Amino acid sequence: MINVTTPPRCILQTVLFAAALALAPFASAADKSPSPIQERADRFLALVNSSYQALTTVSSEAQWAAATDVTPAHDAASETAGKAYAAFNGNPAIITEAKALLAHRAELNELTWRQLDRVLLNAAEGPMTNPQLVADRIAAETRQASTLNSFEFKLHGKVVTANDIDNLLESSTDLAERRAVWEASKESGVALKAGLVKLRDLRNGVAKEMGYPDYFSLQVARYGMTADEMIALNDDFMRVLRPLYLQLHTWAKYKLAEKYHQPVPKLIPAHWINNRWSQEWDGLADGADLTPYFKGRTAEFVIKSAEQFYTGIGFAPLPATFWTKSDLYPVPAGDPRKKNTHASCWHINLADDIRSLQSIEPNPWWFSTAHHELGHGYYFMSYSRPDVPPLLRDGANPGFHEGFGELIALASSQAPYLKTVGILPADYKADDTAFLLSNALGGGIPFIYWSSGVMAHWEADIYAKNLPASEWNKRWWQYVREFQGVEPPSARGEEFCDAATKTHINDAPAYYHNYAFAQVFKYQLNDYIARKILHQPPQSCNYANNKAVGDFLKSIMEKGATEDWRKVLEEATGEKFSTRAMLDYYAPLMKWLEEQNKGRPIGWE
Ligand code: X8Z
Ligand code: ZN
């Protein structure tokens, strides 16, 4: 076992020695006489894979402890483990050898050069060619995580949890109260701004150290795309969905004005919407409100139901340690422990230690989130097999990783499925339009204008365009107005940093475009499953207990990152990555919205 307090250099030597003893487990076994360059790559990757897996385990364990119980000791251990991880994965010798081998890309097999590309991507997060920069980044990341995870929201002077805030925004119809709650939810940004300003430069610094123009470009390199190409892709999602979004926006603002007895606004006031960032517009589709069906249920029921979705379609039960090591429920009132309140799923050892961090309550939102998280968990389980080297135990791209859980969250919201599992009564008569509307408002259409629009553009601006920190909030709200058609209840100056109230801006930087990708991906997979496997309408289908659906998903998941994502998607669905299925899914809703909105001014310009 590696001692995390050992200075980085010694750790490297220990790991190099241990790994050098290992045989090359991922060498192409079928190839009897590999070329000298292939052989050299195999030896190198055997060492890197084993060390990468060991150090991932050490640093994930430390980060898990810090995220589930914020204390100075856990922060210190997390920082040290992060440095140990970088000491190996960003080591100049590792970078030099990976580059030297990649100069012979054409002579290496695909599995090999994919691993070598990944070695360089991993190195770029902490390139030890500049140890001070890396040490500063790790220290700043640790501090920011600690501030985020321990932040206490206060409403009228009293501490409230993130769940309290969300539940109040879900239930309150008092606009003054809603505004107070919404404003309270923005206070964390004030505490996080200084750290984020520093991190912007440190993150750009590490990316530049490895030849990337900026940190945003480094992240989208996982798609084999440039920053401009990723932004163009996201702009394209918004372009094709715009007529539908404008109809939905119009419908929603009339509905909200009626709900709050207000005149119809041009832009929707942010505190009228149930979600703190207006990323999902839940609670407006009256005929599809599932809240009453969770009354009397438990949080345990929610997570067990999510597992049951996956085992029903043929996946194995979660490992026993998932249940003993995960942290799934809110910290009980009165317990001083502070933990991160945003849902996540962790692949601690790149093998069978899979954990989830959540604060589940028995309601439809957490039901959906639990299904999302286990999408990550089942992806981890599917690609943790001998044919997939640890370096490639990852999604085909990060959007795939977000997409499977989103797909299952969508499938678990369909009325036929909910009837099968007994959440809706067997004689429930679903209002198909209301369910479709609910999907569109939930993780569907407004989400694209938030993820592809506000989040992707704002992060591209701060990283790739170096937007001065004195303009961050102005730019944020400019994008919220332009892309979402939403405005704050009152002017938000630069004393606030409303972007930083979003978890990912702090701890998953330049990542959010993956959720936009995941939406488009999810409709494409659902379309294939509904039409080709289930022979049911994509808008109302039932995956329950269908092993062919599970086999289809496993066939994609078990590849991990061993193949190009475009090829994987096209081979699985027979179609290139496309918004076609998403548009088809909502075609019936578009007709209905146009009918409802007759005579209303559409949009906000
Ligand atoms: O962060 C998440 C997941 C964890 S990977 C719960 N999501 C995004 C968010 O909450 O902002 C899921 C969809 C969008
Ligand atoms: Zn996720």
Side-chain angles (χ1 to χ4, degrees):
M1 190 165 138
I2 296 158
N3 177 358
V4 290
T5 58
T6 314
R9 203 166 248 288
C10 301
I11 287 175
L12 179 67
Q13 281 161 358
T14 312
V15 173
L16 285 171
F17 178 68
L21 296 175
L23 292 172
F26 302 110
S28 46
D31 190 348
K32 294 271 182 302
S33 55
S35 68
I37 194 77
Q38 180 68 52
E39 208 164 9
R40 179 172 145 195
D42 290 343
R43 285 187 189 286
F44 172 69
L45 287 171
L47 175 143
V48 177
N49 271 299
S50 66
S51 311
Y52 168 68
Q53 186 167 18
L55 287 158
T56 296
T57 308
V58 170
S59 74
S60 303
E61 279 280 11
Q63 282 182 16
W64 173 265
T68 53
D69 185 10
V70 184
T71 66
H74 285 158
D75 286 350
S78 171
E79 185 177 335
T80 307
K83 286 180 180 166
Y85 176 93
F88 180 82
N89 290 295
N91 193 276
I94 297 285
I95 296 169
T96 306
E97 180 64 355
K99 283 185 177 166
L101 288 163
L102 280 168
H104 301 270
R105 186 183 292 265
E107 300 157 56
L108 299 167
N109 65 45
E110 181 178 350
L111 193 64
T112 303
W113 60 254
R114 283 195 178 279
Q115 291 176 76
L116 293 169
D117 283 344
R118 184 53 68 110
V119 168
L120 292 180
L121 280 177
N122 291 346
E125 294 292 338
M128 291 298 279
T129 44
N130 188 342
Q132 191 58 54
L133 175 69
V134 172
D136 290 349
R137 179 186 178 198
I138 294 167
E141 294 283 4
T142 309
R143 259 198 310 280
Q144 190 78 347
S146 183
T147 308
L148 173 75
N149 298 340
S150 62
F151 187 81
E152 282 190 327
F153 293 102
K154 292 213 174 85
L155 182 64
H156 310 307
K158 273 184 60 189
V159 174
V160 286
T161 65
N163 274 349
D164 293 337
I165 287 176
D166 294 341
N167 292 338
L168 281 166
L169 288 177
E170 223 264 316
S171 62
S172 171
T173 51
D174 174 345
L175 280 180
E177 176 72 355
R178 296 186 66 86
R179 181 169 166 172
V181 175
W182 186 88
E183 283 172 350
S185 79
K186 299 298 153 189
E187 283 303 313
S188 59
V190 178
L192 290 159
K193 179 165 181 178
L196 187 62
V197 171
K198 209 168 163 194
L199 276 167
R200 182 262 298 269
D201 294 341
L202 293 167
R203 288 166 179 164
N204 273 344
V206 292
K208 285 196 169 90
E209 186 68 23
M210 287 291 282
Y212 289 92
D214 56 82
Y215 194 77
F216 193 89
S217 301
L218 167 62
Q219 295 311 305
V220 303
R222 285 172 190 262
Y223 288 78
M225 288 165 78
T226 65
D228 286 347
E229 284 167 349
M230 181 53 84
I231 289 293
L233 179 71
N234 278 273
D235 285 349
D236 205 53
F237 297 162
M238 293 194 285
R239 184 182 58 75
V240 298
L241 293 164
R242 189 158 179 86
L244 177 57
Y245 186 52
L246 293 181
Q247 290 290 332
L248 212 48
H249 183 277
T250 303
W251 181 86
K253 75 183 176 190
Y254 275 79
K255 178 83 184 164
L256 286 161
E258 183 192 304
K259 176 175 172 187
Y260 300 121
H261 310 291
Q262 295 293 314
V264 177
K266 242 179 155 173
L267 296 147
I268 304 177
H271 64 300
W272 288 21
I273 296 175
N274 290 358
N275 179 275
R276 284 180 254 168
W277 304 276
S278 308
Q279 70 184 61
E280 297 130 8
W281 300 358
D282 286 324
L284 295 175
D286 297 332
D289 182 12
L290 300 176
T291 312
Y293 300 98
F294 284 86
K295 289 255 150 60
R297 305 280 193 185
T298 61
E300 288 78 5
F301 167 81
V302 168
I303 186 70
K304 278 285 178 194
S305 301
E307 184 194 32
Q308 168 58 39
F309 191 111
Y310 292 87
T311 53
I313 59 175
F315 286 92
L318 290 163
T321 52
F322 176 88
W323 300 106
T324 52
K325 295 188 169 188
S326 287
D327 188 332
L328 297 168
Y329 311 114
V331 174
D335 183 335
R337 179 166 67 100
K338 303 232 173 63
K339 74 173 205 183
N340 178 296
T341 54
H342 194 88
S344 54
C345 198
W346 301 49
H347 201 186
I348 300 283
N349 60 354
L350 297 175
D352 55 355
D353 187 348
I354 289 159
R355 305 178 196 172
S356 185
L357 169 50
Q358 302 190 50
S359 292
I360 303 175
E361 291 185 348
N363 62 39
W365 192 85
W366 277 109
F367 183 74
S368 166
T369 300
H371 287 75
H372 173 105
E373 293 314 325
L374 294 195
H376 292 301
Y378 278 103
Y379 208 171
F380 298 152
M381 284 167 71
S382 302
Y383 57 58
S384 293
R385 58 192 186 93
D387 286 350
V388 180
L391 280 163
L392 298 178
R393 292 188 187 169
D394 199 354
N397 68 35
F400 273 55
H401 231 302
E402 297 305 335
F404 285 111
E406 284 297 294
L407 171 72
I408 302 306
L410 175 73
S412 74
S413 75
Q414 308 283 22
Y417 174 79
L418 291 165
K419 281 159 78 167
T420 301
V421 298
I423 290 174
L424 288 174
D427 60 354
Y428 183 85
K429 294 263 174 306
D431 173 344
D432 287 344
T433 306
F435 271 77
L436 195 52
L437 182 63
S438 176
N439 286 159
L441 293 165
I445 308 302
F447 185 80
I448 290 291
Y449 293 82
W450 153 254
S451 52
S452 294
V454 179
M455 289 290 279
H457 277 264
W458 193 84
E459 289 202 291
D461 284 358
I462 72 158
Y463 293 108
K465 301 202 178 124
N466 227 21
L467 181 71
S470 57
E471 294 172 32
W472 281 8
N473 221 33
K474 183 164 160 243
R475 183 63 58 86
W476 177 260
W477 287 102
Q478 178 196 323
Y479 284 157
V480 174
R481 285 189 176 89
E482 269 177 39
F483 292 120
Q484 292 182 285
V486 169
E487 65 182 350
S490 62
R492 307 283 300 167
E494 297 299 332
E495 67 276 26
F496 298 109
C497 184
D498 294 319
T501 65
K502 188 71 201 167
T503 302
H504 310 68
I505 293 285
N506 302 288
D507 65 8
Y511 183 84
Y512 215 87
H513 51 273
N514 297 314
Y515 294 107
F517 179 97
Q519 288 305 315
V520 176
F521 171 85
K522 126 183 146 182
Y523 289 102
Q524 192 166 338
L525 290 195
N526 180 65
D527 187 85
Y528 181 88
I529 290 169
R531 292 181 201 276
K532 302 279 165 57
I533 301 178
L534 300 172
H535 307 289
Q536 293 170 14
Q539 298 87 347
S540 176
C541 56
N542 191 352
Y543 293 20
N545 304 320
N546 190 302
K547 306 287 184 281
V549 172
D551 288 345
F552 170 72
L553 294 177
K554 277 186 218 166
S555 73
I556 308 174
M557 287 175 151
E558 66 189 13
K559 290 182 198 291
T562 59
E563 292 176 24
D564 182 81
W565 67 267
R566 295 170 187 82
K567 175 170 163 265
V568 174
L569 190 58
E570 195 171 346
E571 278 177 9
T573 64
E575 186 183 32
K576 286 193 168 25
F577 179 56
S578 161
T579 47
R580 195 267 319 153
M582 190 164 182
L583 282 172
D584 279 4
Y585 189 94
Y586 288 113
L589 184 67
M590 184 68 182
K591 285 213 188 76
W592 182 86
L593 287 167
E594 283 169 343
E595 197 59 38
Q596 304 295 308
N597 286 334
K598 252 194 198 130
R600 295 173 173 173
I602 305 296
W604 57 89
E605 263 143 24

